Structure formats: structure tokens, C-alpha cells
Amino acid sequence: FVFSRSEYDKSGCKSLKSFARYKKTALESISYNGTDLSFLHITKHTFNDVCFDNADFSGVTLKSCVFNDCSFTNVKMNCATIISSTFKNCNFMDADISASDIYGTIFETTDNTNGMNSTSFNRTIIHSCKFIRQRMTEATFRSAIIDNILFSACNMSDTCFTGAHLDNVKFDANCDLYGSSLLPLCPETG
């Protein structure tokens, strides 16, 4: 199934909860701006050019999903579980992904213009993931558990890893870590 904007009401906010019951479906050019999508379980769906800005994804489970050119600006995605999913050319500016579990997921942009500026990954478990060409300036990973991760060609200037546990984490030579903190305390918190 492919659902597009023409199949939705004027606001584009047909219940994603009814959509979530389908497997291997796609949503295209829809807006869920400010929508409560908390505690959904979404498996094997594809989302193309979908706006999730200001949405509440608290407690959501995303498994084997693909997100292309989607926007998650200022999204609340705390306590989420994200497994084997792909986010390509997605914007997570000012997103809160704290206290979440992320496994086997790829976050990739083609030109380093979208990204995760000021995104919070505090107290998040991130395992076997790849962050490729992400702009992650001023992102925070306070007290996160980061294991078996590749950061490739990411702009991570002024990123904070205070209290984070990093194991088998690779920052390739193209990463910009200028001003980032790997110290026990970030300067602004004392």
C-alpha cells in the first residue's frame, strides 16, 4: 500500500494509528505536525517527505522502517525504541530522543545540510548504529551508552558526551569534533 496526501483529510492528519496496523506500507507527503503519535508500534513502513515536526513520539517503537526526506524538528521521541531502521536526509533539529533505545539504525544525509543540531540523546542506549554526514552541532549525549557506533563525516562541533560510556566508537577522520566535550562535566554545567 502507498498512502499519499490525496487520501487524507484536508489537514493531512488521518490517524497514523489505523495506518500502523498495516505492514510494508508507505506514506508520502503528509504532515503530522504537532500530532500525538505516542506509544505506536510501527513495523516495516516507508515514509517519504513526511513532516513530523513538533509531534509526540514518546514511547514509540519503530522496527525496520525507512524514513526518506522527513522532518522531525522539535519532535519529542523520548523513551522510544528504534530497531533496524533508516533515516535518510531527515532533519532532527532540536529533537528530544532522550532515554531511548536505538539498535542497528542508520542516520544518513547526502550533503550534511540536514541533521541533528541541538538534538538530545541523553541517557539513550545507542548500539550498532551509523551516523553518516550528520550535522550534530551542540547535540548532547549526557550519560548515554554508545556501543559499536560509526560517526562518519559528521559535524559534531560543541557536542557534549558528559558521563557517556563509549565502547567501540569510531569517529572517522572527516568528523569535526571542535569544541566537543568528552570530559566528565560539560563546561556549562560545571
Side-chain angles (χ1 to χ4, degrees), residues 63-83:
K63 186 174 181 184
S64 302
C65 292
V66 176
F67 296 85
N68 296 304
D69 302 305
C70 294
S71 182
F72 296 88
T73 299
N74 201 39
V75 75
K76 185 177 177 183
M77 197 180 278
N78 54 316
C79 301
T81 301
I82 304 170
I83 303 168

Side-chain angles (χ1 to χ4, degrees), residues 48-64:
N48 297 310
D49 190 31
V50 177
C51 176
F52 294 106
D53 294 350
N54 305 300
D56 184 355
F57 272 93
S58 298
V60 74
T61 298
L62 302 173
K63 186 174 181 184
S64 302

Side-chain angles (χ1 to χ4, degrees), residues 1 17 33 124 153 175:
F1 292 108
K17 292 179 182 181
N33 192 338
T124 293
C175 282

Side-chain angles (χ1 to χ4, degrees), residues 1 4 14 21 29 36 47 49-50 56 61-62 67 71 74 116 126 128 130 150 168 170:
F1 292 108
S4 64
K14 183 175 181 179
R21 71 176 182 242
S29 303
D36 182 357
F47 299 86
D49 190 31
V50 177
D56 184 355
T61 298
L62 302 173
F67 296 85
S71 182
N74 201 39
M116 302 176 151
I126 307 170
S128 296
K130 295 179 182 177
L150 170 65
N168 195 24
K170 180 180 178 186

